[in-house]
Amino acid sequence: MSSENTLDDEDTFKILIATDIHLGYLEKDAIRGNDSYNTLDEILKCAKTNEVDFILLGGDLFHENKPSRRCLHNCITMLRKYCMGDTPIQFDIVSDQTVNFNTSKFPWVNYQDENLNISIPAFSIHGNHDDPTGAEGLCALDLLSASGLLNHFGHSQSVESIEISPILMQKGNTKLALFGLGSIPDERLYRMFVNNQVTMLRPKEDQDEWFNLFAIHQNRSKHGPTNYIPEQFLDDFLDLVVWGHEHECLITPSRNEQQLFYVIQPGSSVATSLSPGEATKKHIGLLRVKGRKMNLQKIPLKTVRQFFIQDVVLGDYPDLFTPDTPQVTKKVENLCYAKVTEMLEEAERERLGCPLTPEKPLIRLRVDYSGGFDTFHTSRFSQKFVERVANPKDIIHFLRRREQKEDNKGLTLANSAEGLRVEDLVKQYFAATEQTVQLSLLTEHGMGKALQEFVDKDEKDAIEELITYQLEKTQCHLQARAVTTEQDIDTEVRRFRDSKKNTTEEDNEIKEVSNDAHEPEPLSGLMCDTLDLDSDGGSGPSAAPTRGRGRGGRGRGAARIRPG
């Protein structure tokens, strides 16, 4: 890694890097509704001020899978304001763009379109919030791509195998290979890596001359045995990995000593949960690449709302109170008031001289009341700070250390649910319940994904579609096996269900049902003799334009690529 700033010359790529912008988060909130929009405006303004070659976004540009009209309008307006113009593009793309942008009707980079004036091209993979859905596999990024404002890449359409073909760029003597992989369910991608079903392609000639940059949007922290992607799964020829999805800002490059590449985790640019990882100061990165050397400049974001979080364990204050102290609840409330006031005073000191920082900060006090203490009325407490904080309704979060019990029938998820996905909660529930209330027709993975579609993406038919699909398919299986007795039916149903657990067949079925739930017309039924459903992909891509708008060489000659 270059220890000094590389000179900005004709051989140096300047790339602005950001992830997890979550545009539209809490847009209806009277206080926080504009936070994500203000920060995107700052990010794009920073790109223009620094005259970057391009912008790289690491997924979750949008918070909702179906962004509101206001959200899309604001995004389009800002991209048009900052990314369109007459400034010449100083780099060429030399790879086969019909492969790089194979899901687009216009399979070429937007700045090479003769009908557009692009001064700063933006490249983005999709995240788990704005991932493609429906029979045609479209997402909000595809709307921006079709309008010519953004280049959506890294979309893998196959659940059997993944080939990641890089966008090959050249600026002067510097060659950059940009790899991207949009969000895929972690357990599926983990299994594909283990089974060697993920291939990263490399240029056939002069492999050692390319700087290899990879954008990924997956769990980096281990949330379960296979519910994350270990860094050692990635190819060792990479130079830098931009890791999206994790919201804690760890943007300083960290070296993986096993694979010998660097990883940066820019984190989110807006706090979407009141957890410790979100309290880290938010940054974006300005990456300079010259030859095989790089330098990353951290740029603090000034429009991000301040967030302070503290933990208080009531049992650590025996000199002030115990559970048996008279009026102990009032004394606990006074302690919490003092802690919140301290955080507000610290926020005010930090905000001095920063006019772009919102006035009201986010405050979270997590209170551990284990050991016999009682909670107090949080709504009444919050009223004291309603004019001073941005989140008056959830300043206090009571939690209690889980006591070990032999009987876990009444497992409570309330204290452990913060930050977990719906799918994780489903697995926790069924792992703790008795055998008599386990699923017999559906798998936990399938039910979890259907619930996630229902909650996160407002797909009201997701659960019904899954149950109907699995019921009809199980009936076909039983008919084929000629099973008639009630005992044999129960045994065969469970055997059929268990045979699909953690397999590619299960992934395919979940994806198929998810697509059906997005269709405007429901399926008429599943035929037992034709279980595979086909759909036409529509018309082919438009013809590529023959020339650009005179911004230097824009040849579309494809470099030969082979598997790495």
Side-chain angles (χ1 to χ4, degrees):
M1 182 175 178
S2 175
S3 59
E4 298 179 359
N5 284 345
T6 308
L7 293 176
D8 297 340
D9 55 24
E10 64 274 7
D11 294 326
T12 302
F13 274 99
K14 292 174 65 178
I15 309 164
L16 190 85
I17 297 176
T19 67
D20 296 271
I21 293 172
H22 287 273
L23 206 60
Y25 176 70
L26 288 185
E27 65 178 348
K28 295 182 180 180
D29 187 279
I31 300 174
R32 303 162 64 184
N34 289 321
D35 284 5
S36 63
Y37 301 127
N38 293 337
T39 303
L40 177 60
D41 187 87
E42 180 186 3
I43 291 170
L44 295 178
K45 184 182 295 183
C46 180
K48 190 167 186 176
T49 301
N50 286 278
E51 299 179 343
V52 300
D53 290 298
F54 65 89
I55 299 168
L56 177 60
L57 303 177
D60 281 352
L61 172 60
F62 296 100
H63 183 71
E64 300 289 346
N65 191 263
K66 299 174 181 177
S68 67
R69 278 179 289 186
R70 179 198 176 197
C71 183
L72 284 171
H73 178 266
N74 284 346
C75 182
I76 291 170
T77 299
M78 285 184 276
L79 287 173
R80 178 172 175 174
K81 176 180 178 182
Y82 292 108
C83 296
M84 299 187 80
D86 291 321
T87 305
I89 305 297
Q90 303 294 338
F91 66 92
D92 294 322
I93 293 183
V94 297
S95 54
D96 186 352
Q97 297 184 50
T98 60
V99 176
N100 300 144
F101 309 110
N102 61 341
T103 62
S104 174
K105 300 293 184 181
F106 306 94
W108 56 84
V109 69
N110 60 350
Y111 77 81
Q112 290 185 348
D113 194 306
E114 61 183 7
N115 297 309
L116 300 171
N117 263 350
I118 303 296
S119 58
I120 305 178
F123 297 85
S124 179
I125 61 173
H126 62 261
N128 57 305
H129 279 254
D130 51 13
D131 59 325
T133 57
E136 295 183 358
L138 296 175
C139 64
L141 293 182
D142 291 311
L143 299 180
L144 302 179
S145 179
S147 63
L149 295 171
L150 180 143
N151 303 289
H152 178 205
F153 75 112
H155 179 191
S156 175
Q157 296 176 299
S158 172
V159 296
E160 301 291 340
S161 62
I162 297 174
E163 278 194 350
I164 307 174
S165 185
I167 303 174
L168 302 180
M169 307 176 178
Q170 184 163 357
K171 182 180 181 183
N173 295 319
T174 299
K175 299 177 180 180
L176 188 146
L178 176 60
F179 297 83
L181 181 61
S183 177
I184 293 175
D186 290 290
E187 292 177 333
R188 181 198 302 170
L189 185 58
Y190 186 103
R191 187 165 62 247
M192 295 178 78
F193 270 113
V194 169
N195 295 332
N196 296 317
Q197 295 172 310
V198 181
T199 305
M200 301 187 77
L201 306 179
R202 301 182 67 184
K204 195 169 184 179
E205 297 97 357
D206 305 321
Q207 288 190 358
D208 295 334
E209 295 182 7
W210 291 87
F211 184 91
N212 299 293
L213 174 62
F214 181 38
I216 186 174
H217 191 99
Q218 303 291 152
N219 280 336
R220 188 182 179 194
S221 302
K222 189 174 183 179
H223 295 275
T226 61
N227 198 9
Y228 76 115
I229 302 301
E231 291 179 10
Q232 59 265 28
F233 279 7
L234 307 183
D235 288 78
D236 57 6
F237 69 81
L238 294 171
D239 295 294
L240 179 65
V241 177
V242 176
W243 209 295
H245 184 60
E246 301 285 358
H247 281 206
E248 183 178 3
C249 182
L250 301 173
I251 199 168
T252 300
S254 61
R255 182 176 170 87
N256 184 298
E257 296 300 336
Q258 181 177 345
Q259 300 297 87
L260 302 181
F261 52 62
Y262 286 91
V263 180
I264 63 171
Q265 182 178 301
S268 66
S269 57
V270 63
T272 61
S273 66
L274 300 178
S275 58
E278 296 277 19
T280 308
K281 302 304 179 186
K282 306 290 189 183
H283 294 78
I284 54 176
L286 180 58
L287 177 68
R288 291 176 170 87
V289 176
K290 184 175 183 179
R292 295 295 303 277
K293 294 183 178 181
M294 69 173 186
N295 176 271
L296 185 78
Q297 176 186 347
K298 298 193 298 182
I299 301 176
L301 291 170
K302 300 176 182 178
T303 58
V304 174
R305 190 175 296 276
Q306 296 167 290
F307 174 34
F308 293 88
I309 184 170
Q310 279 191 25
D311 291 331
V312 172
V313 181
L314 299 183
D316 291 346
Y317 295 88
D319 296 339
L320 295 180
F321 46 68
T322 67
D324 299 324
T325 301
Q327 295 185 328
V328 60
T329 303
K330 181 63 177 177
K331 294 183 178 182
V332 168
E333 187 173 343
N334 290 339
L335 173 66
C336 293
Y337 182 89
K339 293 291 184 182
V340 171
T341 301
E342 287 176 8
M343 287 189 278
L344 284 170
E345 291 173 350
E346 183 181 357
E348 190 171 347
R349 287 192 299 269
E350 283 192 7
R351 199 168 59 249
L352 291 175
C354 299
L356 296 178
T357 302
E359 181 180 355
K360 297 180 180 180
L362 297 169
I363 300 293
R364 169 55 68 96
L365 186 66
R366 302 193 300 184
V367 182
D368 185 340
Y369 67 106
S370 305
F373 291 95
D374 292 326
T375 63
F376 55 79
H377 198 287
T378 57
S379 297
R380 185 175 61 242
F381 178 87
S382 298
Q383 287 299 315
K384 302 174 183 179
F385 300 97
V386 70
E387 298 296 331
R388 302 179 64 187
V389 303
N391 60 314
K393 294 182 180 179
D394 49 12
I395 297 175
I396 301 293
H397 175 62
F398 284 108
L399 53 88
R400 185 164 52 190
R401 288 193 299 272
R402 191 184 303 278
E403 297 177 5
Q404 297 296 327
K405 297 181 180 180
E406 293 182 4
D407 184 5
N408 62 358
K409 293 180 182 179
L411 179 67
T412 302
L413 298 175
N415 291 338
S416 62
E418 193 171 22
L420 286 179
R421 301 177 307 163
V422 173
E423 188 177 355
D424 299 326
L425 295 176
V426 170
K427 289 182 180 179
Q428 282 190 10
Y429 173 78
F430 285 111
T433 54
E434 296 177 335
Q435 186 65 34
T436 54
V437 292
Q438 291 289 332
L439 293 170
S440 58
L441 183 66
L442 309 177
T443 63
E444 292 86 351
H445 180 47
M447 176 60 81
K449 293 300 291 185
L451 276 171
Q452 192 170 9
E453 291 273 318
F454 180 85
V455 173
D456 292 347
K457 302 176 184 177
D458 196 29
E459 292 299 340
K460 296 179 174 57
D461 297 326
I463 299 175
E464 181 182 356
E465 288 279 354
L466 176 68
I467 294 174
T468 301
Y469 180 91
Q470 290 294 353
L471 178 61
E472 292 178 346
K473 192 158 187 176
T474 303
Q475 289 172 339
C476 293
H477 175 79
L478 293 175
Q479 291 175 15
R481 293 295 184 97
V483 181
T484 56
T485 67
E486 184 174 343
Q487 182 176 358
D488 289 343
I489 289 175
D490 290 341
T491 302
E492 190 61 35
V493 165
R494 285 187 169 84
R495 183 183 295 123
F496 181 58
R497 168 187 175 275
D498 293 340
S499 69
K500 295 183 293 183
K501 271 189 174 182
N502 301 318
T503 64
T504 302
E505 181 183 0
E506 182 185 29
D507 290 334
N508 287 337
E509 289 182 357
I510 293 171
K511 183 176 181 181
E512 187 171 319
V513 175
S514 174
N515 290 343
D516 294 342
H518 291 80
E519 283 293 292
E521 294 293 334
L523 292 175
S524 58
L526 183 66
M527 301 299 293
C528 290
D529 56 346
T530 57
L531 294 179
D532 294 327
L533 304 178
D534 294 322
S535 61
D536 295 330
S539 59
S542 305
T546 56
R547 59 186 297 272
R549 298 189 64 162
R551 296 204 187 98
R554 294 181 176 176
R556 205 166 284 112
R560 288 184 292 170
I561 293 180
R562 68 178 183 185

